[in-house]
């Protein structure tokens, strides 16, 4: 995994995140091609960061996938604009940090193998739902959610009493 970080960019993080979500999980070559024709300031800066991350790892863009593209908020430059009657209103000029992580195809295959090994070992389900809920109540859990309706959840004697009251 290789990373690239571009810090203190004069760019709003909310606007940059829109572009970052489009790119995340794509092949690096496809991402760079699509960002080239996206008319945003964020697209140009994210494309530079992706190219840098690919170069940092020594990979080729064809064989890499963008693992994560994260936009964090940086410090906000505060400026003031004069207004009527001697007042001033603030102007916020946000900055952001762009972090891109890139994986090669071999690293992706090893991650998939690890995930499949974990899911096969954790597939066994133990215990009954009602038993586990009863044990949770004994251990001091205050509220246990049930999907069973109230009439079914009540013991038979309480259900009969409620029926007689309704008549």
């Amino acid at each position: 995994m290789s990373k690239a970080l571009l810090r203190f960019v004069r760019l709003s993080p909310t606007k940059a995140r829109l572009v970052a979500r489009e790119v995340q999980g794509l092949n690096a070559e496809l991402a760079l091609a699509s960002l080239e024709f996206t008319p945003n300031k964020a697209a140009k800066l994210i494309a530079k960061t992706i190219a840098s991350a690919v170069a940092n790892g020594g990979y080729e863009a064809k064989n890499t996938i963008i693992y994560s593209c994260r936009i964090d908020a940086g410090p906000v430059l505060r400026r003031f604009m004069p207004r009527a009657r001697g007042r001033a209103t603030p102007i916020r000029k946000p900055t952001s940090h762009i972090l891109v992580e890139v994986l090669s195809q071999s690293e992706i295959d090893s991650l998939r193998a690890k995930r499949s090994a974990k899911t096969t070992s954790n597939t066994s389900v133990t215990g009954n739902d009602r038993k586990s809920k009863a044990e949770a109540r004994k251990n001091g859990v205050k509220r246990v959610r049930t999907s069973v309706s109230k009439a079914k959840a009540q013991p038979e004697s309480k259900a009969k009493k409620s029926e007689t009251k309704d008549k």
Side-chain angles (χ1 to χ4, degrees):
M1 178 188 303
S2 66
K3 298 178 184 179
L5 179 64
L6 183 61
R7 299 183 73 204
F8 303 108
V9 181
R10 262 289 293 122
L11 178 69
S12 172
T14 53
K15 292 178 183 178
R17 284 181 189 127
L18 294 171
V19 177
R21 285 189 192 116
E22 296 286 327
V23 168
Q24 199 165 10
L26 284 179
N27 184 322
E29 187 178 28
L30 287 171
L32 289 171
S34 66
L35 289 174
E36 185 179 345
F37 297 105
T38 306
N40 273 346
K41 181 179 179 181
K44 291 177 186 176
L45 294 170
I46 291 173
K48 284 173 84 174
T49 312
I50 291 170
S52 178
V54 170
N56 286 344
Y59 306 129
E60 290 185 23
K62 294 178 184 178
N63 303 329
T64 58
I65 290 180
I66 299 171
Y67 183 67
S68 75
C69 183
R70 195 174 76 202
I71 312 293
D72 296 327
V76 177
L77 302 173
R78 299 203 60 204
R79 303 292 181 254
F80 293 93
M81 176 175 260
R83 302 305 289 251
R85 297 192 217 157
R87 293 182 185 165
T89 57
I91 296 173
R92 300 178 75 244
K93 296 190 173 190
T95 62
S96 55
H97 307 307
I98 302 171
L99 175 73
V100 175
E101 295 176 341
V102 174
L103 291 176
S104 67
Q105 195 63 40
S106 61
E107 291 172 337
I108 293 166
D109 294 338
S110 66
L111 281 176
R112 285 184 183 156
K114 286 180 184 177
R115 284 184 184 166
S116 64
K118 283 183 181 179
T119 55
T120 56
S121 65
N122 293 334
T123 54
S124 63
V125 178
T126 57
N128 190 354
D129 270 348
R130 289 186 181 183
K131 288 180 183 177
S132 61
K133 289 175 186 174
E135 289 174 14
R137 286 190 186 114
K138 285 179 186 176
N139 293 335
V141 176
K142 292 182 180 179
R143 185 175 182 188
V144 179
R145 291 186 175 222
T146 59
S147 60
V148 183
S149 66
K150 288 184 179 180
K152 290 181 182 178
Q154 292 176 348
E156 292 180 29
S157 60
K158 288 184 181 179
K160 289 179 183 177
K161 288 180 186 177
S162 63
E163 289 175 12
T164 56
K165 288 180 183 177
D166 293 336
K167 292 179 183 179

